[in-house]
Amino acid sequence: MGWGDLGAFGEPSKETPNLDQMAAEGMLFLDFYTANPLCSPSRAALLTGRLPVRNGFYTTNAHARNAYTPQDIVGGIQDSELLLPELLKKAGYISKIIGKWHLGHRPQFHPLKHGFDEWFGSPNCHFGPFDNRALPNIPVYRDWEMIGRYYEDFKIDLKTGEANLTQIYLQEALDFISKQQASQQPFFLYWAIDATHAPVYASNQFLGTSQRGLYGDAVREIDDSVGKILSHLRKLGISENTFVFFTSDNGAALISAPKQGGSNGPFLCGKQTTFEGGMREPAIAWWPGHIPAGGVSHQLGNVMDLFTTSLSLAGLQAPSDRQIDGIDLLPAMLQGKLIDRPVFYYRGDEMMAVRVGLYKAHYWTWSNSWEEYGKGIDFCPGQNVSGVTTHTQEEHTTLPLLFHLGRDPGEKYPLRFASDEYQTVMERISIVVQQHKATLVPGEPQLNVCDRAVMNWSPPGCEKLGKCLKPPESDPKKCFWPH
């Protein structure tokens, strides 16, 4: 989902009344970022409070390549990483993930092995349908075992875009909240729905209801679901004791626009890039009676901050034996304070850019390769900015491209190298980058090796359902990442 997809962020059709109401009752974060312009690394960052280059969710196969966890990936979240639900257990929390996990699908990477108590959802995206010979259909799990597969037991109609998954995920959320409230149990719910990821889907009651086509239908259903979750918290009398945060894992995928892609508002490019459109996200914090209603914050925020903020809310300290990149946002939310901190934009193993205050310096620029672009793959459709949206990896480490995001949120006008403003700002930014790189210890890359034998052929529980498939011989290979 993109920064420009919600009415509260200026989307003109105003089709997100519940999220807009959530913003009116809570706080909008206008300068909130993901930790990576792609799905898996940003989710790993959210749950560990650490940059993907530290937690292992990156590749060294080729310079500055994005990578994620497809079915044939060998790696996943390592045991050495401490995830938010593991830490919340110390304060008596019960944790559930609903929807997409995407941090590795092999048994050792299962969410219930990493702190979650319950899971309903899938280890991968809802791609398919596959033939179960060359590629197996993706499983859907309830806790430890699969209960079916996408397209077989959980239908997605690619012709009409109809699927009931968001309604199923909604009911799972409502039931979990009711159960924990009845037992007076503190809880953490990670509601990771994926209806706006192509192939986009929505349930029958929402199909054809948006001015924005199928993508808008999916957004409307997510909006309706969030409204129902917040109403449920109110009905149960726990709204003033529940902190809720809404955001996205990366910017809208313009590669699937206009029919199956969203809007990144005034920002440059989209998912897969480290331009603002790929990494600045819609973000709303809601906690009635605590966060002042109608607030708007310019605090530089990041999904990694949700890790540290959640621990703070639970009365816990962040781990001190490792570098934590997330900060506690409670002072920004509750007292309106602004905390000075940089935002780093990574792509694979390379720091592409950094934001300090209102300035953003690009040390490398790249959208995607000429070869891929020639095949019609475009992460920046209609947005060519000469010397910025480059199709070769361009190094600017000697003279970074510098933008003032207040005056130029679309990254169209680099500051002149000879200007006093450029010299003064880059002196400050250079110190921040030097300090960051001096303390950076990259984790062991998890997204380097692929093997068809590790796909979802025979997930736990497949025997009971008669849905086990025979895997091919193991043949590990270096994963290929074109972007």
Side-chain angles (χ1 to χ4, degrees):
M1 189 178 279
W3 193 93
D5 275 332
L6 306 184
F9 284 81
E11 202 289 311
S13 64
K14 294 286 188 284
E15 292 180 345
T16 53
N18 296 290
L19 285 161
D20 299 349
Q21 182 65 25
M22 182 185 179
E25 294 171 4
M27 179 174 279
L28 273 183
F29 280 82
L30 299 180
D31 297 76
F32 194 86
Y33 290 87
T34 182
N36 189 273
L38 212 62
C39 38
S40 308
S42 61
R43 290 159 194 266
L46 166 74
L47 291 173
T48 62
R50 287 153 56 78
L51 283 164
V53 73
R54 294 193 214 274
N55 66 37
F57 266 71
Y58 71 105
T59 182
T60 54
N61 280 3
H63 178 250
R65 290 303 202 278
N66 288 319
Y68 63 107
T69 53
Q71 279 206 65
D72 57 350
I73 202 81
V74 169
I77 195 71
Q78 299 168 92
D79 287 342
S80 57
E81 291 297 322
L82 289 170
L83 274 62
L84 179 59
E86 290 177 75
L87 297 167
L88 288 174
K89 275 191 191 310
K90 295 175 187 171
Y93 278 72
I94 295 289
S95 300
K96 179 163 187 165
I97 169 174
I98 297 172
K100 185 165 86 166
W101 167 239
H102 227 197
L103 300 189
H105 57 274
R106 297 169 71 203
Q108 64 265 44
F109 306 127
H110 192 291
L112 271 60
K113 286 202 169 174
H114 293 272
F116 283 100
D117 301 290
E118 297 181 25
W119 180 27
F120 182 88
S122 178
N124 302 83
C125 227
H126 55 274
F127 295 140
F130 300 123
D131 61 6
N132 283 337
R133 288 189 296 277
L135 281 168
N137 277 315
I138 307 291
V140 174
Y141 280 79
R142 179 173 295 285
D143 299 332
W144 288 109
E145 296 187 339
M146 72 175 280
I147 54 171
R149 294 182 187 268
Y150 282 138
Y151 297 94
E152 297 170 27
D153 313 279
F154 294 86
K155 306 293 186 196
I156 302 169
D157 188 324
L158 295 183
K159 287 198 180 104
T160 63
E162 183 178 352
N164 208 33
L165 289 167
T166 303
Q167 291 305 306
I168 296 171
Y169 292 151
L170 169 62
Q171 195 56 52
E172 286 285 328
L174 300 177
D175 291 347
F176 175 74
I177 293 166
S178 295
K179 184 175 149 195
Q180 305 319 315
Q181 192 272 339
S183 59
Q184 298 293 294
Q185 181 74 46
F187 66 87
F188 165 52
L189 171 61
Y190 175 32
W191 197 62
I193 72 286
D194 65 355
T196 51
H197 189 302
V200 174
Y201 63 80
S203 60
N204 183 264
Q205 70 204 79
F206 289 93
L207 286 179
T209 63
S210 168
Q211 294 181 41
R212 306 180 66 200
L214 181 56
Y215 181 87
D217 297 341
V219 171
R220 289 200 65 223
E221 184 165 16
I222 289 171
D223 174 77
D224 182 76
S225 300
V226 171
K228 287 188 165 82
I229 289 170
L230 299 185
S231 296
H232 195 56
L233 294 171
R234 279 204 192 87
K235 190 178 80 181
L236 294 175
I238 56 172
S239 60
E240 295 200 359
N241 202 25
T242 309
F243 172 75
V244 185
F245 201 93
F246 180 91
T247 191
S248 175
D249 60 349
N250 44 247
L254 301 185
I255 185 176
S256 44
K259 289 196 172 175
Q260 301 222 349
S263 165
N264 295 313
F267 301 120
L268 186 62
C269 299
K271 177 180 178 175
Q272 302 241 28
T273 77
T274 48
F275 301 111
E276 291 296 287
M279 292 191 61
R280 202 189 296 207
E281 306 306 329
I284 306 168
W286 185 88
W287 187 15
H290 300 270
I291 294 173
V296 175
S297 178
H298 287 284
Q299 172 64 46
L300 293 194
N302 196 292
V303 293
M304 298 180 290
D305 302 340
L306 299 176
F307 173 90
T308 312
T309 305
S310 299
L311 293 176
S312 178
L313 283 163
L316 299 170
Q317 296 288 321
S320 58
D321 65 340
R322 64 200 61 210
Q323 181 72 41
I324 300 295
D325 296 293
I327 65 168
D328 183 359
L329 290 177
L330 288 181
M333 294 176 194
L334 304 182
Q335 294 137 30
K337 290 187 177 169
L338 285 178
I339 303 151
D340 186 28
R341 63 89 68 89
V343 170
F344 297 101
Y345 302 68
Y346 267 86
R347 193 161 157 159
D349 54 357
E350 185 61 71
M351 191 203 80
M352 304 288 285
V354 60
R355 178 172 173 183
V356 175
L358 283 167
Y359 292 94
K360 179 179 179 184
H362 288 268
Y363 286 74
W364 288 85
T365 53
W366 191 39
S367 56
N368 64 329
S369 68
W370 281 116
E371 184 187 3
E372 295 287 305
Y373 182 68
K375 295 176 189 170
I377 295 168
D378 192 354
F379 301 148
C380 313
Q383 287 188 302
N384 178 44
V385 180
S386 182
V388 179
T389 54
T390 53
H391 290 291
T392 52
Q393 293 182 11
E394 297 292 333
E395 186 172 3
H396 308 279
T397 48
T398 311
L399 278 176
L401 298 181
L402 185 64
F403 296 90
H404 186 291
L405 294 178
R407 298 191 298 260
D408 176 26
E411 298 170 279
K412 291 180 177 68
Y413 309 105
L415 271 63
R416 286 188 305 108
F417 298 136
S419 67
D420 290 342
E421 183 180 12
Y422 182 94
Q423 304 287 338
T424 306
V425 171
M426 279 315 304
E427 276 178 31
R428 182 182 168 208
I429 290 179
S430 295
I431 293 166
V432 170
V433 170
Q434 279 168 12
Q435 288 172 340
H436 171 67
K437 294 208 163 174
T439 61
L440 182 68
V441 180
E444 185 182 338
Q446 295 298 299
L447 308 181
N448 279 353
V449 182
C450 289
D451 185 351
R452 290 187 61 243
V454 307
M455 290 191 196
N456 295 288
W457 300 104
S458 298
C462 68
E463 303 89 350
K464 292 179 192 173
L465 303 174
K467 286 190 173 286
C468 299
L469 303 168
K470 189 170 187 279
E473 289 292 313
S474 178
D475 182 21
K477 286 188 168 70
K478 197 172 170 181
C479 300
F480 172 68
W481 303 110
H483 308 301

